[in-house]
Amino acid sequence: MPPLAVPNGFRQAKGGDSNIVTVNVGGQIFQTTKQTLTLAGSKSLFSRVSESDSVPFIDRDPELFSIILSLLRTSNLPSKAKAFDLQDLISESQFYGVETLILNSLSNPSQFDAYNLEKSLILPLNGRDSPSAISTTPFGSVHVAHGSKITSFDWSLRRKSTILTQFPAVDFLLSISPSVAAAGATDFSGLQILDLENGSVKESLNWENVTKSSSTVQAIGSSPEFLFASFESGRRNSNSILVYDLQTLNSVMEIGHNEIYGAQIDSAIPASKLSWVSSYSLLMASGSHSGIQGVLGNVKFWDVRSGSVVWELKEKVDCFSDVTVSDNLSGIFKVGVNSSEVSFADLRKMGAEDPWLCLGDKRKAVNGRKEGVGCKIESHGNQVFCSKGGDLELWSEVAMDSSKKSKDGLDDRVFRKNLMGRMKDTGGSKITNMGFGGNKMFVTRKDQQYVEVWQSSAREF
């Protein structure tokens, strides 16, 4: 007979096998292998346990230990973990030095499931101010600006802290790390780098404009290497985008500097949104202005190294209420201020004079009703999320026959819309912000003193 196949994770223990580790936790004996324990890392308690020549005794809860050990073996929490409070598991993982494993199991960005998101949790904020800005980190911690305060929730959303800033109200917020953020306001001079753990200002960055007036922040963005800030002079007669080294916070370049004379509407528009496009190494800067001619705007793609504009789109007919860029989909998406419809421009056609393709009702673009005022649009992964009033739309690309080509030789692209959430999740106050971190989406609404957490029902703990 052929020998039996040995499944993964199974080994035959031999007498005196030096690879088997025995440990006594709270009076209960556990056995595992050195290979399993090394998965915890060299700085964990398990590393010392694996090197012990005797049977070590750990005065901890054996039931919680069994959950941690199962996590080490499979990289996933077992179903029985739901019987325990999450905070107990986090505290236990911190004792053993393996909190990162819990984080990877419960809040990994790869677990984000756009088609299965449901409103699962409400994060209350202190005070009467509604959220004005939110910023997330890759593994799901979130910082929320409300009034002059910033409230931070850790990745588990169980630990919460609040700091008071110098701003009358924080309008822009960007996470630089889990404990450091850049903040600015449209009515208070300077960009501040804040230590969110102790509430101190690490650095204050300013733009010295020609008139020597105060300079207020209009947008913040970042790349792996740089921090970007859009400034406007207090007299609103000049604006610029400054580029800072993300590590040293030293100013390395100034781009898009405009001094405004007379009725130069185009140059009077400061960038109100900054987005880095990694695959093209370009900075997208967009801004709009409402006047007697309607809403006008522009979208510029900057080569930061040379300080030159690679592509500029001027918005006149149905200017954007909001605009976003997706690296994964290689496209720009806007929601029209008149139509409230989503349009798409293919980045592969960079340089085209009229690249926009309306994904909704084209007729609504010229009705002049401004149905899209206040609508928000953001991209995450392979999807685009658009808010319309209190509802959310999810746009995704449809797989097409690659043999079908457009006139320019590129594949035809089609996008489809889905409404998000269960019936009880729809409606409500107008959505003001959307953010993404870990396997979760965060949503804020007008006049509401809380943050909604949306995540896959299968991933709820």
Side-chain angles (χ1 to χ4, degrees), residues 66-88:
S66 71
I67 300 295
I68 302 297
L69 186 58
S70 181
L71 176 63
L72 275 177
R73 288 166 171 163
T74 65
S75 298
N76 292 298
L77 285 173
S79 58
K80 64 180 180 180
K82 292 185 177 182
F84 298 89
D85 183 80
L86 176 58
Q87 190 57 54
D88 290 340

Side-chain angles (χ1 to χ4, degrees), residues 8 148 182 208 245 323 331 376 396 404:
N8 290 334
S148 59
E208 294 187 6
D245 183 284
V323 62
K376 300 293 182 180
S396 304
K404 295 182 179 180

Side-chain angles (χ1 to χ4, degrees), residues 14-27:
K14 301 177 181 179
D17 191 336
S18 61
N19 191 51
I20 301 298
V21 178
T22 302
V23 58
N24 183 339
V25 181

Side-chain angles (χ1 to χ4, degrees), residues 170-189:
V170 178
D171 296 308
F172 306 100
L173 190 63
L174 178 73
S175 299
I176 295 177
S177 73
S179 60
V180 177
T186 57
D187 59 355
F188 192 90
S189 182

Side-chain angles (χ1 to χ4, degrees), residues 104-304:
N104 281 326
S105 177
L106 293 178
S107 192
N108 196 306
S110 65
Q111 299 167 348
F112 185 83
D113 184 359
Y115 298 105
N116 198 27
L117 291 177
E118 297 176 355
K119 187 162 59 178
S120 61
L121 186 64
I122 295 294
L123 303 177
L125 301 171
N126 300 326
R128 299 180 180 181
D129 297 301
S130 302
S132 54
I134 61 175
S135 185
T136 60
T137 61
F139 278 89
S141 57
V142 59
H143 308 302
V144 188
H146 50 116
S148 59
K149 300 180 290 293
I150 298 176
T151 295
S152 301
F153 297 86
D154 77 331
W155 69 267
S156 70
L157 307 181
R158 299 297 183 95
R159 286 171 284 186
K160 168 184 172 183
S161 61
T162 300
I163 67 166
L164 188 65
T165 71
Q166 299 174 3
F167 300 102
V170 178
D171 296 308
F172 306 100
L173 190 63
L174 178 73
S175 299
I176 295 177
S177 73
S179 60
V180 177
T186 57
D187 59 355
F188 192 90
S189 182
L191 173 70
Q192 292 188 358
I193 309 301
L194 302 174
D195 185 325
L196 299 175
E197 291 186 344
N198 58 34
S200 63
V201 179
K202 292 172 65 71
E203 193 94 23
S204 185
L205 308 174
N206 291 277
W207 173 51
E208 294 187 6
N209 56 80
V210 175
T211 59
K212 304 297 182 180
S213 62
S214 62
S215 300
T216 60
V217 172
Q218 303 298 311
I220 313 173
S222 69
S223 72
E225 187 177 355
F226 300 116
L227 174 68
F228 309 105
S230 170
F231 285 99
E232 184 179 42
S233 66
R235 297 180 182 179
R236 296 190 173 181
N237 59 355
S238 59
N239 56 68
S240 185
I241 299 173
L242 263 62
V243 183
Y244 299 93
D245 183 284
L246 195 56
Q247 300 302 317
T248 65
L249 297 179
N250 292 329
S251 177
V252 296
M253 183 174 289
E254 180 180 0
I255 60 176
H257 184 168
N258 293 305
E259 294 294 329
I260 301 156
Y261 303 98
Q264 295 177 327
I265 298 297
D266 282 351
S267 59
I269 302 175
S272 56
K273 193 168 189 178
L274 300 171
S275 304
W276 181 250
V277 192
S278 296
S279 57
Y280 291 83
S281 295
L282 297 175
L283 175 68
M284 187 186 81
S286 59
S288 61
H289 171 81
S290 181
I292 58 175
Q293 297 178 338
V295 181
L296 305 176
N298 57 58
V299 181
K300 297 179 181 179
F301 286 84
W302 290 90
D303 182 337
V304 176

Side-chain angles (χ1 to χ4, degrees), residues 47-109:
S47 177
R48 283 177 280 165
V49 168
S50 66
E51 297 170 357
S52 176
D53 294 328
S54 58
V55 178
F57 174 79
I58 303 175
D59 191 15
R60 303 293 287 190
D61 188 327
E63 292 186 342
L64 289 172
F65 178 83
S66 71
I67 300 295
I68 302 297
L69 186 58
S70 181
L71 176 63
L72 275 177
R73 288 166 171 163
T74 65
S75 298
N76 292 298
L77 285 173
S79 58
K80 64 180 180 180
K82 292 185 177 182
F84 298 89
D85 183 80
L86 176 58
Q87 190 57 54
D88 290 340
L89 286 174
I90 293 173
S91 297
E92 204 68 6
S93 68
Q94 291 172 338
F95 173 80
Y96 291 108
V98 293
E99 184 181 8
T100 302
L101 297 178
I102 294 275
L103 186 154
N104 281 326
S105 177
L106 293 178
S107 192
N108 196 306

